[in-house]
Each structure stands twice: as C-alpha cells, then as structure tokens.
Amino acid sequence: MAKSTLAFTCMNCNASHKKWVGRCDTCGEWNSIKEEAPLAAGPKGKTLGASKGRKLALGDLNTVDAPLERSTIGIDEFDRVLGGGLVPASAILVAGDPGIGKSTLLLQAAAEFARTGKKVIYISGEEASSQIRMRAQRLKLTDASVKLATETNLRDILTTLEEEAPDLAIIDSIQTMWADHVDSAPGSVSQVRATAHELTTFAKRKGVAIVLVGHVTKDGQIAGPRVVEHMVDTVLYFEGERGHQFRILRAVKNRFGPSDEIGVFEMTGCGLAQVTNPSELFLSERDIQTAGSVVFAGIEGTRPLLVEIQALVAPSPLATPRRTVVGWDTARLSMVLAVLEARCGISFAGKDVYLNIAGGLRISEPAADLAVAAALISARQDIPIASDTVIFGEISLSGALRPISQAENRLKEAQKLGFSAAFTPSRMKLSSESGMNVTKYDAVDAFVEHHFGSINEE
Ligand code: TYD
Ligand code: MG
C-alpha cells in the first residue's frame, strides 16, 4: 500500500507544501497553512492500460437543443445579473465580505421566488432558524412559503433536498458545511472543495438550482480554494463599501448569460431595495462646480451608468508623494499621470494625488481615462469643469484619445439626467448625439489646451 503522507495546503491560494511553514511562499500569506488528509492516490506508476472504455456518442455543432428555460426570481436587478432569470439545474456562487448583506439578499430572493409559486429551501449553517425568522419579519417576508433549516452536515442536507425536490436551494454558507467522508474541518480547502463538488453535481443530477454563499478574504478572494469558482456555472460578487448604502451584485462568470452585468441595490432599514436608476443615485450627493469633480459616463454590463470622479491634488511633504485611489486601478492612475507629464508637460511631482469614485462604486473601464485626467488637472489648477458636462474616452500612451464602445448609450443616459454637453474622443462614429453638445478631441493635449489654457509650471 502506498505510504500515506500528510499534505499541507495554503487556505488562501491552495498551494500544497511538503511541511508546515509559517508563511506560504506562493502567495505570501502568513499563518494560512493547514494540515489536510492526503488525497487517496492510485497505485504508483500504473497507467490506464490497454483495457478499453466505452465509446462516446458524439454530437454535432448544429444540433438544435431546446431553448434554455429560465424562471425569473422576481427581483429585476437579480434576474438581470443572472442573464434573465434562474436556470434550473445550475449552481451559483454568491460571494462577498462578511456583513455585506448576502444572507439578506438571498432571503429576499428566496421569498420572492417562493411567491411565484416555486418551492424554495433555505439552509443556514451560520444562523439559527429563529434568527432567520426574525430577519424575515423585519423584511416583511413571513408570508412567503420558504422552508428553513439550520444544518451543516452535507449528507443530511442532500437527503433532505433529494426528498423535498425544491426548485431552488440556498446554502448559506459553503464555508460552514462539512462532508463526513472528508477528514478535515469545515472551511478547509478539502471540505469546501468536496461539499461544493457534491452540491454542484447534485444540482445537475436532480435539476435543482443551488445557490452557494461564499465568504471572501480580506484581499478579495473567495476564502479557501478558488476551485469553487471553476465548479459552479455562475459566480456573482456582492460588493459595496462599508459606510455606503449601495450594494452591487456583479456577475464575474456566467455560463448562461453576460458576465459583466451588474445589479444595484440600496441597503435600507427593511432590507435591500432595488435601484432602478443608479446614475441618479450615484450623482445625488454631487458637489456642483467644485474643482476636481467630473462626471464620467460609463457602461456597466448593458447599462449606462453616470458616476462622479473626484480628485484632490495637494503639495506633498513626502519624498515619495502619495497616490491614493478608491474605486479605480492604481496602475491606470500612474499611467494617466505619466501621459499628462510626458505629453502635456503637467507634472504631479511633489504633489499628493487622491482619486475617488463617489458612492463606493468600483469602475474598471479604460473609458474613464479622460474623465480622470480632467479631474486631476481641474483639481491641480483649481478650475472646475462645467457641471452640465459628462466626459469619456480612453487615453493611449501616445496621448491620443481612443474611441470607445456604446458612445450613443452614454450620451443618451447623460441627456436623460439633464446633462447638455460631452467631451469625447474624435474618431468615433456617432449615429446620434442625443441633442447633446458634443466636443471631440484627437488627443489629451488638445483637451487640456482648450479647457485649461497653457499650464505653466510654478
Ligand atoms: P447579512 O445579510 O447578515 O450579511 P452577510 O450574510 O453578507 O454576512 O447582513 C448584515 C448587515 O446588513 C448588518 O450589518 C445589518 C444590515 N441590515 C440592514 O441594514 N437592514 C436590514 O434590513 C437587514 C436585514 C440587515
Ligand atoms: Mg450571512
């Protein structure tokens, strides 16, 4: 028999080590190595051999399958992120920081789905049924026929689901579940991997849609192994900033729909409320006509979204001035600063730079480059940008402005919200300007020259 050796696995990155160490040399995390039971290995050196397997039935690409049937949950923002509703027999991971509102969102989704006549089971490994009932009372969901249980033993859960055959089962959370055939603690890599595997295969086999709740580590990864992300059909992140009431449900992987869609919610005293016009919300606290404040017309998934970008530039006492970014990419900010310095002669040396996307939103579009540049120079020169204006455009390293996608949608949204002017890249074919006064620029230096004149170094 093969000698059974212990395996040591990093809870953060899933790397395996021969012996226990204090710090994982793959991801650099401290104190994340746990001892795990080794995977059962087959006899050494044995190959599949010559014995034959079964011949597979091969299909064609042009076979017409029945269209995917989906059932809407009844919360539009949630359904949109799923790609138009819940697909039966699919496994969905909803991940987010502790306390962000995952249980609240899923209890609301469970109740709405049950109200459409579907059978829903909510299994919590974290809260007692009485706690969940208290929350349901607060959210005024007690009339919905959601079945509850508090359990962490996977074998019992699977038996229950098999006998009850619900349309949707919610498992809150995957880190608290344990399978008795795996010899390690709940939340460990082997347990999370095994329970997620059992639950996803159960979903496929029995046609039950299963939602797994997953906690995220402080650096934004799903705690334990990322393998759960590969196993499930859909991965949704529920995110938001502490201290802000906005919550964003973002699809990062979706086998049944677009993977860049977002749903916007607001955490209120009685649960999560849908935000049907997010731009209005994100702009509602805007300081009109302040230097350093610019409105960016962005696109999130299929939906235009206007957000305020705020910049502050202040003299720095530090040898290496601060570059602090909230809601945008730090590397992208460095690039924009370098282009402004090299192509427009505007230096930020000796100055601290702070950049903030208002409302706790995180944007990743390169189309925000020009808006960021405008906010930075506006803050540096203390000259406000007209408050009725939106800005978008990608800046290339040469300083040229690149055309971006869905310009018409961005302009239409801006016009709807009362903006009357836009600054955009020039090489864009616009079929309609939506009645906006659009000023186009070839390069970022032309934009700077037009709005701020020639900037002399003091
Ligand atoms: P919860 O859903 O328990 O978070 P998670 O499951 O992601 O850990 O949400 C907890 C937070 O939400 C808690 O700080 C209180 C807040 N909350 C509200 O503000 N309003 C509400 O109606 C509810 C139910 C919770
Ligand atoms: Mg919870």
Side-chain angles (χ1 to χ4, degrees), residues 8-41:
F8 295 89
T9 311
C10 173
M11 296 293 119
N12 188 45
C13 70
N14 204 22
S16 60
H17 299 261
K18 287 214 172 65
K19 58 180 176 28
W20 191 87
V21 281
R23 181 168 188 254
C24 172
D25 53 17
T26 310
C27 68
E29 185 75 12
W30 287 93
N31 216 5
S32 62
I33 314 281
K34 294 267 155 56
E35 189 183 311
E36 305 246 292
L39 288 179

Side-chain angles (χ1 to χ4, degrees), residues 97-104 135 138-139 215 267-271:
D97 289 321
I100 203 74
K102 299 180 295 298
S103 304
T104 309
R135 176 178 296 160
R138 179 170 169 187
L139 303 176
H215 292 296
M267 185 59 102
T268 68
C270 45

Side-chain angles (χ1 to χ4, degrees), residues 24-72:
C24 172
D25 53 17
T26 310
C27 68
E29 185 75 12
W30 287 93
N31 216 5
S32 62
I33 314 281
K34 294 267 155 56
E35 189 183 311
E36 305 246 292
L39 288 179
K44 276 251 161 63
K46 191 164 179 201
T47 63
L48 272 180
S51 73
K52 276 200 168 173
R54 162 180 71 85
K55 183 177 178 298
L56 305 177
L58 302 173
D60 292 316
L61 281 178
N62 62 3
T63 310
V64 182
D65 296 308
L68 265 186
E69 50 166 304
R70 295 176 187 269
S71 338
T72 50

Side-chain angles (χ1 to χ4, degrees), residues 174-188:
I174 189 70
Q175 275 99 352
T176 55
M177 299 297 149
W178 65 281
D180 50 20
H181 67 287
V182 179
D183 194 15
S184 57
S188 66

